Amino acid sequence: MKLKKKDIFFQTLENMADTIVQAADYFAQHVNNLQDVLLFANEMKKFESQCDEFTHTIITELNKTFITPIERDDIMDLTTTLDDVMDGLEACASRFDMYHLPDPDDYIVQFAEILRQSAYEIQKAIHLLSQKKLLAIREYTIRLNDLENQGDELLRICIKELFAKVKDPIELIKRKEIYERLETTTDACEDVANMLESIIMSNS
């Protein structure tokens, strides 16, 4: 018996989520021991470019498809929020090279782990969306909200310590921006959760 081909929109969203997991894994595995900062930034750029291609695929398909599996706006908004997560990871990685910052601290490593866990929750949720198991997605959106709260708390702690301990104003500016970009990326993960909640509400 021939298996039914997966819908192009769901397949591409899954591909995006899988790429975000690969990127977040790479980020978390390498950020605490940056042997080659430029290589690290370039590898993250490759993941970001791949997500951009998936976004382009979805836009192209939306322009030529009359009937979509869920609302067109929902597909586009979910695609955009997923792309924002990938953009956030890549932007953080590029700063290590731009700012000549080869020694990320423990707070950056903790942010990387929060983002890695968030990526896996997003992946599980997107694969359930493809299976139309909408209510089961809630478990992962709740977890994403919890991880974002952890990011908020971590930002408060590390900014407080930064201003207490770092005297060099240039170093302070560099670290502060990277901390804030990392926290903003956890916000982007929560935006995916909120978008999924909206899809659950409109399709249940």
Side-chain angles (χ1 to χ4, degrees):
M1 183 176 163
K2 193 175 179 182
L3 287 172
K4 185 180 177 184
K5 187 180 177 185
K6 188 170 286 187
D7 175 87
I8 184 66
F9 297 108
F10 286 151
Q11 182 62 67
T12 308
L13 288 166
E14 283 188 11
N15 291 343
M16 287 187 82
D18 294 347
T19 303
I20 289 167
V21 162
Q22 292 167 22
D25 263 343
Y26 181 87
F27 190 96
Q29 286 165 12
H30 291 83
V31 78
N32 65 344
N33 185 23
L34 281 181
Q35 307 271 326
D36 187 332
V37 181
L38 181 58
L39 175 64
F40 176 70
N42 287 342
E43 287 299 311
M44 291 298 296
K45 183 65 181 174
K46 289 178 188 175
F47 290 123
E48 192 261 343
S49 296
Q50 184 65 68
C51 263
D52 283 345
E53 287 181 27
F54 292 137
T55 299
H56 180 70
T57 296
I58 285 179
I59 292 168
T60 302
E61 291 297 325
L62 281 174
N63 284 332
K64 67 182 186 184
T65 305
F66 185 65
I67 298 174
T68 55
I70 55 177
E71 290 293 328
R72 307 171 77 82
D73 286 349
D74 288 345
I75 293 171
M76 195 63 243
D77 289 345
L78 183 56
T79 302
T80 301
T81 54
L82 287 168
D83 194 51
D84 287 345
V85 173
M86 187 66 250
D87 287 347
L89 282 165
E90 189 276 328
C92 292
S94 71
R95 291 313 185 276
F96 296 124
D97 178 46
M98 288 166 58
Y99 296 163
H100 304 285
L101 195 74
D103 56 338
D105 55 40
D106 286 343
Y107 292 121
I108 291 171
V109 172
Q110 288 178 57
F111 268 119
E113 180 58 24
I114 290 171
L115 288 166
R116 189 187 70 80
Q117 291 180 38
S118 297
Y120 276 96
E121 301 303 321
I122 287 169
Q123 183 187 45
K124 292 169 195 168
I126 295 295
H127 281 260
L128 284 173
L129 179 66
S130 296
Q131 299 165 40
K132 301 280 186 77
K133 295 179 179 177
L134 298 182
L135 295 179
I137 293 172
R138 283 233 162 89
E139 175 185 345
Y140 304 105
T141 60
I142 291 167
R143 178 75 178 134
L144 282 163
N145 288 327
D146 179 54
L147 286 163
E148 192 275 334
N149 288 336
Q150 290 179 35
D152 282 347
E153 181 61 24
L154 183 57
L155 181 66
R156 281 191 286 272
I157 292 167
C158 65
I159 294 289
K160 182 178 179 180
E161 181 163 318
L162 183 69
F163 279 91
K165 293 187 175 179
V166 176
K167 303 307 177 189
D168 179 354
I170 302 299
E171 183 70 13
L172 189 147
I173 289 167
K174 289 179 183 178
R175 299 258 173 195
K176 181 172 181 288
E177 194 205 333
I178 288 175
Y179 293 154
E180 289 174 343
R181 277 188 178 274
L182 287 161
E183 193 278 328
T184 298
T185 309
T186 69
D187 290 343
C189 294
E190 186 180 47
D191 290 341
V192 174
N194 292 340
M195 191 61 234
L196 287 165
E197 284 285 352
S198 175
I199 291 170
I200 293 167
M201 288 175 62
S202 57
N203 289 275
S204 297

